[in-house]
Amino acid sequence: MALASWAAMGGIDETEVAIVGAGPAGLVLAHLLAARDIDCVVLEQRDRAYVEHRVRAGVLEHPTVELLRELGLAERLEREGLAHRGIQLAVDGIRHRIDFVELTGRSITLYGQQEVVKDLIAARLAGGGQIVFEALDVAPTAIDTDRPVVQYRHDGVARTLRCRIVAGCDGSYGVCGPLVADRTVTEHTYPFAWLGVLAEAAPTQDELVYASHDRGFALYSMRSPTVTRLYLQVAPDEQLAAWSDDRIWDELATRLPVGDGFRLNTGPIIDRGITAMHSSVATPMRHGNLLVAGDAAHIVPATGAKGMNLAIADATVLAAVIDDALRGGRPEHLADYTPTCLRRVWRTQHFSHRMTTMLHRFDDDAFRRQLQRTELEIVTSSVAAATDLAEHYVGLPFATLAERAT
Ligand code: RFL
Ligand code: PHB
């Protein structure tokens, strides 16, 4: 039986699961719990408009789309998302196709992360779910006990949320990850960053282009029939101010394979930012009744287009172990959370690292450059190698509880 939710009594509220963060991990978890009739409250430090307009990821793996469909959350995604059959890898100005549908029978969907977030928020609120925006100074306590408490401030009032489980879905700069007292962080920083822009320019084709170029990597992506998303490899300490619109377009035209018939439309740049390229895995992902998911536990470099998908995959495992603990009377199954997630996390780290090292320029290391060319040649000429890349890109199936790594 669900605890009486949101029974406000002098600033003290109660729920079963307190979810910190309304990103993809926290919102998908809220929907999965609601589908199991488990009560939850989402606490988000930003306002609704901010989280709904934060430009980030755009590639949805096949299992992510299937999950959103099963949850009845894919109506707009199916209408507006762009189904992509494959990707293109450009080497020395020549494009090579990796046809996902031919190689795996599956495809990916281009749909902005902020659109996913908008859909999840709207559906959660329409279903009577609780999302507290602008929840400040969120502080989970008593996570070692079976009655954790989350303190926060809202509208200038101090509030207390009592719960059974705290789900830390608050991203890489959140407060939950560091509360896992005995965690070990394994990490790697790449010697470059990405300059990403969103432009009001119609895409000229319906596949992404990952371009390996002597001047550095470039990526051609899109968001809609009128908006293109583009990235350039830049120095890790690069300043946005150094990149005028003309310089961005000139560099894209140089690195993208314009010589082989590829066309690049230009247009007003409506968003821009620099993103560090970093890999990290923090383990364990649980401390007592606090369980962390998504970027709060691990970061992957964007080249594999995996961060949002991995955050959602964690949420599926988390919902299952919470269900086991709260409904199945098996709290010991919370111990399965970390090992089950870590299998996919490391497979994803491996894939993202591989895509990153295969495609970016690393200083003037001629030996490494030749190895990169050879790897690109293998991937673009061997069906077995292309199938391996395609299977990882479209997304490995989500783990079922039966596959728990215990
Ligand atoms: P999020 O999305 O960062 O959400 C965390 C939420 O928690 C809130 N928060 C707090 N709330 C309360 N109290 C606190 N103390 C809080 N601290 C933080 C935040 O405001 C936020 O709302 O984490 P989540 O849910 O784990 O999702 C992870 C993804 O956002 C991330 O991995 C992806 O965006 C990464 N990523 C990509 N992933 C993909 O799957 N496919 C892609 O194509 C892709 N491309 C990208 C990317 C990330 C990029 N950037 C900008 C980092 C491209 C880029 C450029
Ligand atoms: C994006 O469209 O934002 C995108 C696509 C592919 C990536 C990373 C980002 O690998």
Side-chain angles (χ1 to χ4, degrees):
M1 190 54 192
L3 295 178
S5 78
W6 211 241
M9 291 172 359
I12 301 178
D13 309 300
E14 204 153 321
T15 187
E16 294 188 282
V17 182
I19 300 176
V20 186
L27 292 168
V28 167
L29 178 64
H31 280 280
L32 288 166
L33 294 177
R36 292 162 155 94
D37 205 20
I38 296 174
D39 195 62
C40 66
V41 173
V42 180
L43 303 175
E44 165 59 50
Q45 70 176 1
R46 301 288 191 163
D47 63 34
R48 182 173 175 181
Y50 183 92
V51 300
E52 290 187 344
H53 292 94
R54 192 165 37 194
V55 177
R56 281 186 158 187
V59 175
L60 300 187
E61 289 178 351
H62 182 80
T64 300
V65 173
E66 290 285 281
L67 175 75
L68 295 174
R69 202 173 277 145
E70 275 164 31
L71 287 169
L73 296 166
E75 195 241 323
R76 192 164 69 95
L77 158 66
E78 275 172 350
R79 244 184 308 121
E80 297 177 16
L82 309 170
H84 283 203
R85 287 182 61 92
I87 54 167
Q88 299 171 14
L89 302 179
V91 195
D92 294 332
I94 308 289
R95 280 172 295 161
H96 305 265
R97 286 196 71 229
I98 308 273
D99 190 322
F100 297 155
V101 174
E102 199 177 290
L103 296 166
T104 70
R106 290 176 289 150
S107 56
I108 52 155
T109 302
L110 267 277
Y111 190 65
Q113 176 170 323
Q114 74 273 31
E115 305 306 324
V116 175
V117 164
K118 270 183 211 159
D119 295 347
L120 295 174
I121 290 174
R124 198 63 206 113
L125 296 178
Q130 296 285 345
I131 304 174
V132 182
F133 292 101
E134 299 180 81
L136 303 177
D137 302 331
V138 171
T141 56
I143 53 174
D144 282 322
T145 73
D146 59 4
R147 294 284 163 191
V149 170
V150 183
Q151 316 271 6
Y152 66 100
R153 269 189 316 112
H154 187 240
D155 279 342
V157 177
R159 304 205 71 95
T160 297
L161 180 60
R162 293 183 177 147
C163 59
R164 303 278 301 279
I165 304 265
V166 180
C169 304
D170 49 350
S172 46
Y173 300 106
V175 294
C176 293
L179 295 176
V180 179
D182 56 345
R183 77 174 184 164
T184 306
V185 181
T186 309
E187 56 191 332
H188 181 75
T189 298
Y190 298 87
F192 39 75
W194 277 14
L195 165 63
V197 302
L198 205 57
E200 278 173 354
T204 53
Q205 59 172 49
D206 61 3
E207 284 183 349
L208 273 58
V209 182
Y210 287 81
S212 168
H213 191 278
D214 284 342
R215 289 179 62 85
F217 169 76
L219 171 60
Y220 178 83
S221 180
M222 61 218 67
R223 287 291 179 272
S224 74
T226 55
V227 175
T228 312
R229 177 78 166 143
L230 302 136
Y231 296 96
L232 285 169
Q233 173 184 353
V234 293
D237 55 353
E238 192 62 78
Q239 300 299 308
L240 261 187
W243 288 83
S244 65
D245 291 13
D246 284 348
R247 184 176 175 205
I248 292 172
W249 289 116
D250 285 350
E251 196 61 31
L252 285 164
T254 304
R255 297 188 196 178
L256 290 169
V258 284
D260 86 337
F262 170 82
R263 279 190 313 112
L264 175 67
N265 279 342
T266 60
I269 293 179
I270 51 177
D271 189 276
R272 68 189 78 210
I274 291 188
T275 306
M277 296 292 274
H278 188 70
S279 301
S280 76
V281 178
T283 181
M285 293 166 65
R286 167 191 175 223
H287 182 97
N289 284 314
L290 166 73
L291 296 98
V292 291
D295 278 14
H298 39 69
I299 305 289
V300 286
T303 329
K306 291 293 176 209
M308 166 171 50
N309 296 291
L310 190 56
I312 290 173
D314 283 354
T316 65
V317 181
L318 186 46
V321 296
I322 290 174
D323 193 16
D324 247 11
L326 298 186
R327 292 287 180 274
R330 292 180 292 271
E332 68 279 9
H333 281 181
L334 293 179
D336 296 348
Y337 177 62
T338 299
T340 305
C341 288
L342 280 184
R343 286 163 125 193
R344 187 184 191 89
V345 167
W346 277 111
R347 288 287 286 267
T348 305
Q349 286 290 4
H350 181 264
F351 175 72
S352 304
H353 178 78
R354 181 178 161 207
M355 289 285 283
T356 303
T357 53
M358 182 171 76
L359 291 160
H360 287 75
R361 182 195 151 146
F362 286 78
D363 295 328
D364 288 319
D365 184 340
F367 180 74
R368 184 195 276 268
R369 184 77 186 120
Q370 200 47 54
L371 288 181
Q372 283 181 322
R373 280 180 207 284
T374 306
E375 188 171 5
L376 281 161
E377 190 191 319
I378 293 169
V379 155
T380 53
S381 61
S382 150
V383 173
T387 305
D388 176 56
L389 187 148
E391 277 175 356
H392 283 88
Y393 201 108
V394 299
L396 303 171
F398 288 150
T400 63
L401 270 194
E403 291 161 351
R404 263 193 305 245
T406 48

